[in-house]
Amino acid sequence: MALKFQSLFSRTVRSCTQKSERSVAIASSEIPMAADDSYRNARFTPLAAMADAFEELSAVMKAKGLDHDLDLKTFCDACSLVSVLFGCLGIAFKFAELEYVSKVSDLAEASQSYRTLNNILDFDKRNDSVRTPGSLSRNLRRVRQGLDLIRALFLNFLSSNDCCLKDAASSAYAKTCAPYHSWAVRTAAYAGMYALPTRDQLLLKLNETENSAEKEMIRYINASLPVIEYIDKLYISRHINLDW
């Protein structure tokens, strides 16, 4: 049964607090977080909604293992919340927003016919259409790259209080998406990085402070990893490599 996600976003713009002097230890495993979770219940910002949704998915992965047959609609409901962040990044990530949103929309529509992520991989595998443009398996692969792009961006964003959004986004794109994009797309993407909002402007758009954004980003970083690994396993278990 699909999980229910809250998506009521606060529209109140708060002033940003001074930058924290603390640094965040970046690693491929989970990032430690303060034990006090009481602030979550009263927060309905875009970042909080993303973190909530992926923590629910992550909890399912951890409880039932990577062999669990993840519900497609539940997955799409969570992924749709990430679209808000792409929109906040402006024209620089417009290419990613358009591709990501359309792929999530296609998968959500397909959830009426295919109950789980396994179902769409099985169908395309039988029909030799996994890599075919427009296939659901290809769409899923692109959505997975979008989730990883945001995760890498957050990791870079939190690596230093002095890290500008342009550097964080450029590095994240180079690692997660650039290897699979054409020269034309890569050129347009890197050129657009100069139009990214500043660090403070992004926090304002997201209705976050440095401290609150750090908490929500860490939650997403930790919760999205098991989901990304689960999707990768779907392809690998069917002897489909990930170099595309």
Side-chain angles (χ1 to χ4, degrees), residues 16-61:
C16 296
T17 59
Q18 294 181 342
K19 293 182 178 179
S20 170
E21 292 299 322
R22 294 172 299 168
S23 60
V24 178
I26 302 301
S28 58
S29 57
E30 289 193 355
I31 298 176
M33 184 175 173
D36 182 11
D37 295 340
S38 60
Y39 75 98
R40 297 181 188 176
N41 296 330
R43 305 194 75 249
F44 302 112
T45 65
L47 284 186
M50 281 174 53
D52 287 345
F54 278 88
E55 282 187 339
E56 291 200 36
L57 287 182
S58 179
V60 171
M61 296 295 95

Side-chain angles (χ1 to χ4, degrees), residues 18-223:
Q18 294 181 342
K19 293 182 178 179
S20 170
E21 292 299 322
R22 294 172 299 168
S23 60
V24 178
I26 302 301
S28 58
S29 57
E30 289 193 355
I31 298 176
M33 184 175 173
D36 182 11
D37 295 340
S38 60
Y39 75 98
R40 297 181 188 176
N41 296 330
R43 305 194 75 249
F44 302 112
T45 65
L47 284 186
M50 281 174 53
D52 287 345
F54 278 88
E55 282 187 339
E56 291 200 36
L57 287 182
S58 179
V60 171
M61 296 295 95
K62 291 178 179 179
K64 300 186 177 181
L66 292 178
D67 292 328
H68 173 64
D69 209 2
L70 184 61
D71 182 81
L72 180 56
K73 185 179 185 303
T74 300
F75 173 74
C76 291
D77 286 345
C79 291
S80 65
L81 298 173
V82 180
S83 305
V84 177
L85 182 61
F86 279 115
C88 289
L89 293 172
I91 191 66
F93 273 67
K94 196 65 179 178
F95 73 94
E97 180 187 12
L98 292 174
E99 180 175 76
Y100 180 87
V101 171
S102 67
K103 300 298 188 287
V104 172
S105 177
D106 288 346
L107 289 172
E109 184 177 348
S111 68
Q112 300 176 27
S113 303
Y114 302 90
R115 189 179 66 83
T116 69
L117 273 66
N118 270 304
N119 291 159
I120 63 177
L121 264 296
D122 287 340
F123 175 83
D124 284 331
K125 180 70 173 178
R126 286 196 303 270
N127 291 278
D128 195 25
S129 56
V130 170
R131 297 195 184 197
T132 301
S135 74
L136 295 175
S137 296
R138 186 180 181 88
N139 289 348
L140 176 61
R141 176 75 180 141
R142 295 296 175 257
V143 169
R144 174 256 185 250
Q145 288 171 351
L147 299 178
D148 200 21
L149 172 62
I150 296 303
R151 185 176 186 275
L153 188 153
F154 285 175
L155 282 167
N156 294 339
F157 189 89
L158 298 178
S159 65
S160 169
N161 288 327
D162 297 325
C163 180
C164 71
L165 189 57
K166 173 182 171 294
D167 291 341
S170 297
S171 176
Y173 174 74
K175 178 181 178 181
T176 61
C177 295
Y180 313 108
H181 285 170
S182 66
W183 176 87
V185 173
R186 292 197 305 270
T187 301
Y190 285 124
M193 297 296 177
Y194 292 93
L196 282 167
T198 65
R199 188 184 182 99
D200 288 342
Q201 287 171 341
L202 177 63
L203 292 174
L204 198 62
K205 287 183 178 183
L206 293 172
N207 195 23
E208 301 285 355
T209 65
E210 285 277 356
N211 289 337
S212 66
E214 178 182 314
K215 292 175 181 178
E216 305 300 358
M217 287 180 181
I218 290 176
R219 290 175 63 206
Y220 175 83
I221 288 168
N222 291 338

